[in-house]
Every structure is written in structure tokens, then in C-alpha cells.
């Protein structure tokens, strides 16, 4: 009896110790002890096609708290997030951090070094194959690795994008509305904290956790608040676009009580309550007729698709009145690919 009691006391002491001193945080092949940071790689092994190594930094705070994952470079030519996370890494101090931050510096190195847009060499869009497959092609294996090694240990996720190498984009974030009041409120809190004043309401993402398609949806369908943010585009690294990503990341950490940092929280958000990606009816040469942030009426000419000789194939028009959130700014276009993203903007928060 006495021995049994002693064992219970020892077990209690052990669990109390682990509750007060957080454990090492392991991601891929790296581990960071409490109060420490580490950088290294998540190795995506070779499979049907060559694998890759995803560069990751882990900042494990001295005290427990939220685990925020910041994911950059899902699309290889979306550079602003990749540059911003280098700055975030240089400024973060794990000794002054509550909780932990996982930085995925470049989710898709193969597309980055190959200067690709939209698609990996396997022809797949990484942000359409989540939660991924361990035995799939490269995009699916990357998605599987990020799901299991980054999204699962995280409590909050920010997926950082901009217009791809061909997209001229105004800054905005996506707030996913699921119908779960607590989760939706937590997602909105992240979107406001990140500081981009246009917030696209997204109600269309798949519900099935085994077929989430998108990075942020993979977190949301596992009960974790997550947003997707967009700042920059056209393959540029202009200072305002990079700074918005960097400032937004720190503002989210401040909002979650992880550290002291300046808040860029949106005071008066504008909501995009209706939006549509206008896709190309044909493969050809795109001649845009509008610019990002331009207001359009129903039927406003967005641009023309010609054949290679210059003969008009299609005039492409706005489906409803709104603002151009992005427009493809370079000539190549294939049938079914995006040409423009039009959104109806309101200052009335949707129900
Ligand atoms: Zn993207």
C-alpha cells in the first residue's frame, strides 16, 4: 500500500514537472528546447518523383502558450512571404516568447528554385492537394509532411501568399466561415490582427477533413483557427508588400499574447461578401484592360484573349459590380486558368 502511494506521488510529481516545463518542440529533423530556437529541414523523401527539403525554423518559448505556424512559399513565385519570414526569424527571441512559432520558410522549394507558378513539376497545385498523401507525387508528399509535422502540432495557422508570379494583386485576407461560432470568431480575430483591411469571406471550402484541399482549410477542419493572407505579387519583393507580411505576423503573435509587438489590427474592415475567380475560356494571349483595385460594373471589360496571331478569341467581362482584387498581368493563359478575381466590397459585416 505504501509503495503504491509512493508510486502515485512520484507519478504526480513527474506530470507536474512536465506541465510547468514545456517539452522540446520537434518538427522534421529539428528540435527546440524551451527558450531555444532551431532551424533545419523537413525531409520529403523521394517517391514516384524526386523529393525535397522544406526549410523550417522552430522558436520554442520559455513559457507554454499558443503554437503559431506561419507558412510561406506554398506557391514558389510568391516571394513576399519568403522574404518576410527571414525577417521574422531575425527578430524573434525564444527567451521572450510565450508559446511557440513554427516558420515554414518555403513550403515548395522545387517550384521556387524552378521559378514556377501555380504548379509543381508533378502538374499539381500544392494548395489544392491537402491533406496530402505519404505515397503520392511531390505536391501530395509535401502537403502530407506539412499537415502532419506543422499543422497537427500548431494551435493557429497563417498561410502566407501573394499574387503568383503573373498576378497583380491588392492586399487582402481570406476569413473562412464554417458555422462554428467559436472557430469563426477566432479566425476573424486572426484576420483582423494581421492588418489587411479587405477580408474575403470564404464559405465554400470542403468540410471533409480527409479532403481539405487547402492549407488553411486543413487546419480549420482540425479545429484550429487559420487564415490565408495575400500581400504582393508579380514576382516582386516591394517593401510595402513584404513589410505588411512581417508586421502582420508579429501583430498576430501580439494578439495571441505570445510577445509584445506593435499591433496593426484592422479597425474598420471591409468585407468581400461575394467574389469570383474569372477563368479563361480559351488558351491564348491575355490582354488585361483593368488594374488591381479598380472598381468595375457588371459587364465591365476585364480584358481580351487573343490567339497567337492577334485575332480576338474572347472578351472577358466582370460578372458583377465590385473591385478587382487581382488581375493576371502577363500574357500567357491556358483555358480554365484564372484571369481576374472580382469581389463585391461592403463595410457591413455579413451574418
Ligand atoms: Zn498562392
Amino acid at each position: 500500500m505504501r509503495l503504491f502511494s509512493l508510486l502515485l506521488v512520484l507519478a504526480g510529481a513527474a506530470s507536474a514537472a512536465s506541465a510547468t516545463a514545456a517539452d522540446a518542440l520537434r518538427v522534421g529533423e529539428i528540435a527546440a528546447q524551451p527558450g531555444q530556437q532551431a532551424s533545419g529541414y523537413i525531409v520529403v523523401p523521394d517517391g514516384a518523383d524526386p523529393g525535397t527539403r522544406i526549410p523550417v525554423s522552430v522558436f520554442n518559448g520559455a513559457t507554454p502558450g499558443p503554437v503559431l505556424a506561419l507558412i510561406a512559399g506554398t506557391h514558389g513565385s510568391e516571394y513576399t512571404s519568403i522574404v518576410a519570414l527571414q525577417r521574422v526569424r531575425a527578430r524573434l527571441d525564444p527567451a521572450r516568447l510565450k508559446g511557440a512559432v513554427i516558420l515554414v520558410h518555403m513550403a515548395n522549394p522545387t517550384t521556387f528554385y524552378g521559378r514556377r507558378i501555380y504548379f509543381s513539376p508533378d502538374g499539381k497545385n500544392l494548395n489544392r492537394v491537402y491533406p496530402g498523401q505519404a505515397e503520392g507525387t511531390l505536391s501530395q508528399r509535401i502537403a502530407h509532411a506539412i499537415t502532419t509535422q506543422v499543422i497537427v502540432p500548431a494551435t493557429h495557422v497563417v498561410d502566407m501568399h501573394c499574387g503568383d508570379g503573373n498576378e497583380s494583386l491588392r492586399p487582402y485576407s481570406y476569413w473562412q466561415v464554417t458555422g462554428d461560432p467559436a472557430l469563426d470568431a477566432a479566425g476573424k480575430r486572426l484576420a483582423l490582427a494581421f492588418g489587411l483591411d479587405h477580408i474575403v469571406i470564404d464559405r465554400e471550402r470542403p468540410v471533409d477533413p480527409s479532403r481539405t484541399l487547402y492549407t488553411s482549410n486543413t487546419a480549420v477542419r482540425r479545429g484550429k483557427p487559420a487564415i490565408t493572407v495575400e500581400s504582393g505579387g508579380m514576382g516582386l519583393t516591394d517593401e510595402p508588400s513584404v513589410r505588411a507580411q512581417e508586421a502582420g505576423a508579429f501583430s498576430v503573435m501580439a494578439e495571441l499574447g505570445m510577445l509584445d509587438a506593435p499591433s496593426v489590427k484592422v479597425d474598420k474592415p471591409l468585407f468581400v461578401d461575394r467574389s469570383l475567380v474569372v477563368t479563361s475560356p480559351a488558351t491564348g494571349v491575355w490582354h488585361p484592360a483593368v488594374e488591381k483595385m479598380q472598381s468595375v460594373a457588371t459587364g465591365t471589360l476585364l480584358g481580351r484573349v487573343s490567339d497567337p496571331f492577334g485575332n480576338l478569341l474572347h472578351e472577358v467581362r466582370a460578372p458583377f459590380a465590385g473591385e478587382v482584387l487581382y488581375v493576371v498581368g502577363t500574357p500567357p493563359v491556358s483555358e480554365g486558368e484564372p484571369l481576374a478575381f472580382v469581389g463585391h466590397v461592403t463595410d457591413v459585416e455579413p451574418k
Side-chain angles (χ1 to χ4, degrees):
M1 189 65 192
R2 289 190 62 184
L3 178 62
F4 184 57
S5 300
L6 178 64
L7 287 173
L8 280 180
V9 168
L10 288 172
S15 65
S18 65
T20 49
D23 298 325
L25 180 57
R26 297 176 192 284
V27 176
E29 62 185 21
I30 58 174
Q33 298 296 328
Q36 301 291 319
Q37 69 182 80
S39 292
Y41 294 90
I42 297 172
V43 175
V44 179
D46 292 347
D49 48 9
T52 188
R53 298 194 309 162
I54 302 170
V56 177
S57 292
V58 176
F59 290 77
N60 196 358
T63 54
V67 179
L68 174 65
L70 302 171
I71 300 174
T74 287
H75 294 124
S77 295
E78 298 181 3
Y79 304 133
T80 54
S81 60
I82 295 168
V83 174
L85 285 197
Q86 294 188 342
R87 297 183 184 182
V88 170
R89 180 178 181 269
R91 287 175 56 190
L92 268 179
D93 178 1
R96 300 161 69 102
L97 182 67
K98 183 166 181 269
V101 178
I102 302 170
L103 305 178
V104 177
H105 291 282
M106 190 187 289
N108 198 342
T110 309
T111 67
F112 174 82
Y113 293 113
R115 299 189 180 86
R116 293 169 177 271
I117 63 165
Y118 298 152
F119 306 113
S120 308
D122 60 9
K124 292 170 182 148
N125 181 336
L126 176 56
N127 207 24
R128 300 293 185 278
V129 299
Y130 274 85
Q133 296 177 32
E135 305 297 328
T137 60
L138 177 64
S139 301
Q140 294 166 313
R141 300 201 304 281
I142 291 174
H144 176 77
I146 290 176
T147 297
T148 55
Q149 301 192 50
V150 178
I151 295 175
V152 166
T155 60
H156 299 74
V157 173
V158 179
D159 187 25
M160 301 164 74
H161 291 246
C162 61
D164 215 323
N166 58 332
E167 292 171 342
S168 175
L169 177 144
R170 70 111 59 245
Y172 61 90
S173 57
Y174 290 96
W175 169 35
Q176 189 174 339
V177 176
T178 64
D180 175 333
L183 189 57
D184 294 349
K188 181 180 161 195
R189 186 178 168 212
L190 291 181
L192 293 175
F194 199 87
L196 306 178
D197 68 356
H198 280 53
I199 298 176
V200 176
I201 310 291
D202 188 349
R203 304 176 190 275
E204 315 259 301
R205 308 248 157 148
V207 174
D208 181 354
S210 69
R211 229 187 100 71
T212 48
L213 304 187
Y214 302 87
T215 312
S216 59
N217 190 38
T218 306
V220 167
R221 296 303 171 188
R222 282 155 181 76
K224 303 157 194 280
I227 54 171
T228 303
V229 299
E230 305 267 1
S231 170
M234 295 294 290
L236 302 175
T237 56
D238 58 293
E239 184 60 25
S241 299
V242 174
R243 194 185 301 131
Q245 302 250 14
E246 178 189 6
F250 278 101
S251 183
V252 165
M253 292 180 228
E255 177 70 21
L256 296 177
M258 301 172 71
L259 48 65
D260 289 325
S263 173
V264 294
K265 191 170 182 173
V266 181
D267 184 27
K268 301 276 185 208
L270 291 165
F271 294 95
V272 177
D273 59 354
R274 183 183 181 194
S275 59
L276 185 74
V277 175
V278 179
T279 56
S280 184
T283 296
V285 181
W286 169 241
H287 306 266
V290 293
E291 297 190 353
K292 66 182 177 186
M293 304 175 78
Q294 185 174 329
S295 294
V296 293
T298 303
T300 295
L301 182 70
L302 298 175
R304 298 178 175 87
V305 181
S306 75
D307 69 12
F309 308 100
N311 301 309
L312 178 67
L313 295 177
H314 292 280
E315 289 184 338
V316 178
R317 297 183 177 278
F320 48 79
E323 182 182 332
V324 177
L325 301 175
Y326 73 72
V327 59
V328 165
T330 60
V333 67
S334 297
E335 183 178 349
E337 287 182 350
L339 292 175
F341 188 34
V342 177
H344 176 262
V345 180
T346 173
D347 60 359
V348 180
E349 181 172 346
K351 289 277 181 286

